[in-house]
Amino acid sequence: MPDIRGRFVWYENLTKDVDAAIAFYRAVVGWNTQSWDGLGEPYHMFANGDTVFAGVMKMPPDAGMPPYWMGYIGTPDVKATTARAEELGAKVWVKLMEIPTVGTFSVIQDPQGASFAAYTPLNPPPPASQEPVFGTVVWHELITTDPDAAWAFYSDLFGWQKTNSLDMGPAGLYQMFGVPGLELGGIYKKTDDMPGPPQWLYYVHVADLDAAVASTKANGGSVLVGPMDIPGGGRIAICMDPQGAPFALHWRA
């Protein structure tokens, strides 16, 4: 079995309108969809080519929060990881839900308020490539109120290691992290003027950033930041889909 600890192995778009979300991301990123009936009703999944990597689900009307993307982080023992998360001060919203033939997961809110899922899949995906592939999530960014506390929490749970860092001046340190052989993302402090609670933001690699930004706007989404250059020769834009879920676009030469 591949070593899944600390890797992002699945994503889920929690949305107000499944059909509209599917149409939006198909137009902007080029994803197609597949359906699975293992839950008793169709579960729609995003696919990049033939590779499914994310689900899309309708949020209950009384969810009390805006639509968002959630990452599923791999662990060989989701029960132990969930118990440890609680010991470290996290809240557990869904505890040990088993999906036959798929795996077991928990939905957890970290001590600062960002949500993710801990997941033990029965059939783990192969390790991600360090080279970005168009249409895949290539970066995972945690915007949090306390980067040091968040780092202590996630590194304990998932064995993440610090990689590079970037001094952003008054905005503080941008700390990058990963697992052996693969850099995964970055953590930085949420400023007072940033809307919304602490959260994870997921970056999708696209072949043409300007075209994807134009398509985001043309299909009812909005662009919150950028497009802008980033260190290393890439460009990004932080966006919001028509239902209100933040996501980001990434391009690298």
Side-chain angles (χ1 to χ4, degrees):
M1 174 183 288
D3 185 2
I4 61 169
R5 186 182 184 217
R7 289 172 44 209
F8 286 81
V9 292
W10 189 254
Y11 306 90
E12 203 156 56
N13 180 215
L14 290 304
T15 184
K16 297 175 184 176
D17 188 329
V18 169
D19 290 339
I22 288 172
F24 174 80
Y25 288 104
R26 179 183 291 130
V28 172
V29 189
W31 293 336
N32 55 64
T33 53
Q34 299 181 21
S35 294
W36 180 65
D37 294 326
L39 295 174
E41 58 184 53
Y43 177 70
H44 299 288
M45 300 177 291
F46 287 118
N48 190 43
D50 294 328
T51 303
V52 294
F53 68 96
V56 53
M57 289 186 64
K58 186 172 183 178
M59 301 180 75
D62 58 352
M65 59 191 305
Y68 67 103
W69 278 91
M70 183 167 67
Y72 283 59
I73 307 171
T75 170
D77 187 340
V78 67
K79 183 176 181 181
T81 298
T82 304
R84 180 60 178 156
E86 285 190 293
E87 290 175 3
L88 294 171
K91 296 177 181 179
V92 178
W93 296 119
V94 177
K95 182 171 282 190
L96 301 178
M97 178 175 286
E98 181 179 357
I99 302 175
T101 75
V102 175
T104 304
F105 70 93
S106 296
V107 177
I108 298 169
Q109 185 182 63
D110 73 23
Q112 287 70 49
S115 295
F116 66 97
Y119 181 35
T120 302
L122 293 179
N123 298 294
S129 170
Q130 188 67 272
E131 286 301 311
V133 176
F134 295 135
T136 62
V137 177
V138 293
W139 199 250
H140 312 82
E141 195 168 76
L142 177 62
I143 304 103
T144 181
T145 52
D146 190 335
D148 291 338
W151 174 252
F153 174 79
Y154 286 100
S155 59
D156 185 301
L157 284 189
F158 298 114
W160 287 345
Q161 301 168 1
K162 291 183 178 180
T163 56
N164 301 306
S165 62
L166 179 66
D167 186 349
M168 300 191 296
L173 191 71
Y174 188 89
Q175 179 63 60
M176 289 165 255
F177 65 90
V179 294
L182 183 65
E183 196 166 51
L184 293 169
I187 298 175
Y188 71 97
K189 187 171 183 178
K190 180 180 181 292
T191 57
D192 293 339
D193 60 343
M194 292 178 68
Q199 59 189 292
W200 282 96
L201 181 67
Y202 302 100
Y203 286 69
V204 181
H205 187 52
V206 293
D208 186 329
L209 183 69
D210 292 331
V213 164
S215 185
T216 295
K217 296 175 180 177
N219 286 279
S222 55
V223 177
L224 307 178
V225 177
M228 60 182 283
D229 295 335
I230 57 171
R235 298 179 71 223
I236 63 166
I238 299 174
C239 307
M240 185 176 286
D241 72 21
Q243 279 71 51
F247 69 102
L249 299 166
H250 169 271
W251 171 88
R252 192 176 81 189

